[in-house]
Amino acid sequence: MIIGSRILQHEKVSSTNTLAAALLRDSDPPEGTVITASYQETGRGQPGNSWESEPGKNLLMSVILYPVMVRPADQFIISRMVSLAVYDLISARTRAARIKWPNDIYVGNDKIAGILIENSIMGQTLGSSIAGIGLNVNQTEFKSGAPNPVSLKQVTGTTHYLRAITEELISLLDQRYGMVVRGDGVLLEREYHEALYRAGEWHHYSDSNGEFEGMIERVMPDGMLLVRRRDGRSREYAFREIDYIL
Ligand code: BTN
């Protein structure tokens, strides 16, 4: 077992990712160190966004990894493996779970979990990776104006025991990280694609040139999203270059 070898539980922190970064800077935390918190004063979402979570209601976690077997060009494998671990947890409870590129977890058209991966590169490989996960578990009202939040309680109709969900996720993350360590990247890529929201279907999107109809073909090894248009042209998008019209 790598992930969960050490678990640091906090009541209140600024952000579990920020705390993980401080630990990496100031000490030598063992690989697989997990930091959890009941509440974050400044929970961070994707750059420019915050992460809303009522005290004690949701899963807030960061994991410290040293993926020295991963080349910088392949770093999206960390997103794939963390997304799949959270997807495994949700899809055991509902058939409607999907991974929305690059690493949101959706149930139907609503977002149940967000992931913030912060990698550092050391020469030819990754030096460290902080994988931050926010999973909405028992919160039922969201006030921050996020477009489409949903929680496990809203999806299943029951309250969930946070400690059990946390233990299950640590175990799933450990299994999925084992695939990275063993070099099972092709399988991770296939499973990620099978779970991918809107893959192989025609839907509406917009980019800097306006709205269009497109079909997600695949996510490239470097994490770019390949989308085909009705006229047969395909284009690769980086994060934030394309908006999904829901
Ligand atoms: C997103 O915007 O989708 C990413 C959200 C990531 C939130 C998690 S909660 C635990 C960890 N600590 C943070 O400050 N952010 C991540």
Side-chain angles (χ1 to χ4, degrees), residues 15-17 40 43-46 51 60-62 104 111 114-116 132-134:
S15 145
T16 55
N17 266 40
Q40 298 184 126
R44 296 192 280 122
Q46 295 300 338
W51 185 254
L60 304 166
M61 176 194 285
S62 297
D104 288 343
K111 177 166 168 172
I115 295 167
L116 178 62
I133 302 161

Side-chain angles (χ1 to χ4, degrees), residues 177-225:
Y177 188 55
M179 295 175 74
V180 176
V181 173
R182 288 194 303 272
D184 281 346
V186 173
L187 186 55
L188 280 172
E189 197 172 328
R190 189 165 77 222
E191 289 193 72
Y192 177 94
H193 191 263
E194 282 167 4
L196 191 61
Y197 177 70
R198 287 188 172 181
E201 301 167 6
W202 291 103
H203 289 278
H204 290 270
Y205 299 89
S206 68
D207 64 12
S208 54
N209 297 316
E211 198 175 318
F212 65 95
E213 217 183 335
M215 182 195 280
I216 293 175
E217 295 202 292
R218 60 182 289 224
V219 177
M220 309 302 287
D222 62 2
M224 300 277 280
L225 184 71

Side-chain angles (χ1 to χ4, degrees), residues 2-3 31-32 63-67 78 81-82 127-131 177:
I2 299 175
I3 298 183
E31 177 163 49
V63 184
I64 296 174
L65 299 170
Y66 302 117
I78 304 296
M81 81 89 182
V82 177
S128 66
S129 180
I130 298 170
Y177 188 55

Side-chain angles (χ1 to χ4, degrees), residues 126-184:
L126 294 190
S128 66
S129 180
I130 298 170
I133 302 161
L135 167 64
N136 299 328
V137 179
N138 290 321
Q139 186 163 336
T140 51
E141 276 177 51
F142 294 87
K143 301 184 180 98
S144 68
N148 52 350
V150 74
S151 68
L152 211 47
K153 181 171 182 172
Q154 287 172 313
V155 169
T156 61
T158 54
T159 301
H160 294 263
Y161 189 40
L162 206 47
R163 181 183 285 254
I165 297 281
T166 303
E167 282 170 9
E168 187 178 334
L169 182 59
I170 289 171
S171 163
L172 291 166
L173 283 163
D174 191 56
Q175 289 169 42
R176 289 293 183 182
Y177 188 55
M179 295 175 74
V180 176
V181 173
R182 288 194 303 272
D184 281 346

